[in-house]
Amino acid sequence: MKKLLNTLYITTPEAYLTKDGTNIVVSVSGKEVFRIPVQNVQSVITFGYMGVSPGMMKLCADNGVSISFHTPQGKFISRLQGPINGNVLLRTRQYSLLTDHLMASRLASLTVTAKIYNSRVTLRRFVRDYPERQGHAEVIDAANRLGKYYRQTRHTTDDIAMLRGIEGESASVYFKAFRHLILRGEKEFAFNGRNRRPPTDIVNAMLSFGYSLLASDCTAALEGVGLDPAVGYMHTLRPGRPSLALDLMEELRSYIVDRFVLSMINNRQISPSDFHIHTATDDPNPASVMLTEAGRKNFLGAWQTKKRTEIIHPFLNEKVSLGLLPHVQAMLLARYLRGDLDDYPVFLSK
């Protein structure tokens, strides 16, 4: 099993990364503030604009360490990766499925089915743990509707457009009920549905930031097993879009990101002071909300701790750290595409 190494998150916008021997060195205003051996790092994710030295890029490329650049708000900019050691036969098989409608639609169906199933489990956990909580009936109704969508997708395996429509409808139902899962700060953590680009409330800012991190992990996991992250089946192909990574993260969104965000809010691990709220001069409503530098450090510290949590993988029946779930699912997907498995075992939470 792959070893879970550190992800180095650079949250200070003024930070600049260089190399010293085999060490990654982080400097701010010309002063060294941190260093770590490259052998202990799996990836580097930076949220600033100062950049990375060419020597540092080569050090990471030589050691299989990816570097992802994001805006301070968490929006993905670009990613640097060294030579890909993927199996050319595996990628050829991956590309051929684009014209194999039955196989492509089967994978799309599995993706949507797993997303709806895991979203429903998140809602049902609330129903189980808080039977007297306000909004209980609305959450039950949403969970029941997701159950109907789940059964529908299991019998819709040949129409990808219809599957995308069902996925969109189920996401709308899920996020309408999501506000009831937030147990504190009705005003500060108000949530009235999913919005982004930019997010206009604290909860959406956290979800967007978490999804961006998960997308980076899924992209790295797919490249690590030799697959092309750009060639997916449920998400349409588009230049610059990691469609297969977006496919992969659908089955993990609710289990990894949504539950994490709810936990941070409900356990008082984050507060409104961790966010910048920008408003237009002629509009009292927020134009955008983003994490402060201190808020990002707080979020990422808890995120790293969460990734070390161990679970029993439902298919492998082995202990796996949460941070390795994208790698495990990418590995299983590669085995399916090679013909080593009869079907792709999507991750279904409990």
Side-chain angles (χ1 to χ4, degrees):
M1 180 61 67
K2 182 181 176 70
K3 182 181 178 182
L4 180 64
L5 298 176
N6 297 306
T7 297
L8 177 60
Y9 295 102
I10 308 299
T11 61
T12 304
E14 298 79 17
Y16 186 70
L17 279 67
T18 57
K19 64 165 288 229
D20 180 14
T22 59
N23 293 298
I24 297 172
V25 179
V26 183
S27 301
V28 177
S29 301
K31 183 179 179 180
E32 180 181 326
V33 295
F34 181 78
R35 68 168 53 211
I36 186 172
V38 71
Q39 294 86 354
N40 294 342
V41 177
Q42 178 173 297
S43 61
V44 177
I45 300 180
T46 177
F47 299 92
Y49 295 111
M50 291 300 291
V52 178
S53 73
M56 161 71 178
M57 293 181 192
K58 185 177 187 304
L59 176 68
C60 288
D62 290 345
N63 288 273
V65 176
S66 64
I67 307 174
S68 296
F69 296 90
H70 298 250
T71 68
Q73 295 85 355
K75 183 179 179 181
F76 176 77
I77 299 174
S78 65
R79 188 168 184 273
L80 296 176
Q81 176 74 41
I84 303 298
N85 296 318
N87 184 327
V88 65
L89 298 179
L90 174 61
R91 291 205 171 194
T92 300
R93 173 62 175 158
Q94 179 188 357
Y95 300 147
S96 71
L97 291 188
L98 291 173
T99 57
D100 186 335
H101 180 73
L102 288 179
M103 285 286 287
S105 58
R106 173 60 179 165
L107 284 169
S109 176
L110 289 169
T111 295
V112 176
T113 300
K115 178 179 181 178
I116 295 174
Y117 179 93
N118 291 330
S119 297
R120 183 170 183 261
V121 169
T122 297
L123 297 182
R124 289 178 60 85
R125 281 168 57 91
F126 171 86
V127 172
R128 180 198 67 195
D129 295 341
Y130 302 96
E132 305 300 326
R133 183 76 183 181
Q134 183 178 2
H136 187 265
E138 189 174 333
V139 176
I140 290 178
D141 178 66
N144 289 338
R145 292 179 67 185
L146 290 186
K148 292 179 181 178
Y149 287 129
Y150 170 74
R151 291 187 291 273
Q152 187 177 355
T153 57
R154 295 190 69 184
H155 297 92
T156 306
T157 59
D158 59 353
D159 190 332
I160 296 179
M162 182 179 292
L163 286 166
R164 290 174 183 142
I166 295 172
E167 185 273 332
E169 292 176 16
S170 65
S172 177
V173 169
Y174 170 71
F175 280 119
K176 281 182 181 178
F178 192 79
R179 62 190 177 94
H180 295 299
L181 280 58
I182 301 169
L183 307 180
R184 61 176 282 242
E186 291 184 4
K187 291 184 178 180
E188 296 89 345
F189 295 98
F191 181 82
N192 295 308
R194 184 79 177 107
N195 61 68
R196 52 183 181 157
R197 299 177 184 170
T200 59
D201 61 66
I202 287 176
V203 179
N204 273 295
M206 295 178 70
L207 289 172
S208 291
F209 194 71
Y211 293 153
S212 180
L213 297 175
L214 181 58
S216 291
D217 287 348
C218 288
T219 300
L222 291 165
E223 289 180 336
V225 299
L227 290 168
D228 187 341
V231 180
Y233 307 101
M234 202 274 280
H235 287 84
T236 55
L237 303 187
R238 184 182 302 170
R241 169 190 271 183
S243 294
L244 188 61
L246 297 178
D247 286 359
L248 180 62
M249 70 180 285
E250 292 295 357
E251 61 189 271
L252 304 175
R253 277 179 188 263
S254 179
Y255 184 70
I256 294 181
V257 178
D258 298 1
R259 291 193 193 182
F260 172 76
V261 167
L262 289 170
S263 176
M264 285 204 77
I265 295 173
N266 294 339
N267 293 331
R268 300 182 182 276
Q269 293 176 274
I270 203 157
S271 70
S273 62
D274 287 316
F275 298 85
H276 282 307
I277 299 177
H278 301 276
T279 57
T281 55
D282 57 346
D283 188 348
N285 296 314
S288 65
V289 177
M290 61 176 284
L291 284 156
T292 63
E293 182 180 341
R296 285 195 300 273
K297 290 180 179 178
N298 183 21
F299 189 103
L300 292 169
W303 178 260
Q304 283 285 68
T305 299
K306 185 68 175 178
K307 287 173 70 173
R308 289 193 288 270
T309 303
E310 290 190 334
I311 65 168
I312 301 296
H313 192 278
F315 179 76
L316 300 179
N317 198 29
E318 296 178 3
K319 282 187 177 181
V320 175
S321 62
L322 204 62
L324 284 180
L325 263 185
H327 169 79
V328 171
Q329 293 307 121
M331 176 189 68
L332 293 173
L333 178 59
R335 290 178 62 186
Y336 169 61
L337 294 180
R338 283 197 298 263
D340 298 335
L341 293 174
D342 293 333
D343 207 354
Y344 168 55
V346 290
F347 178 80
L348 301 177
S349 62
K350 296 182 179 179

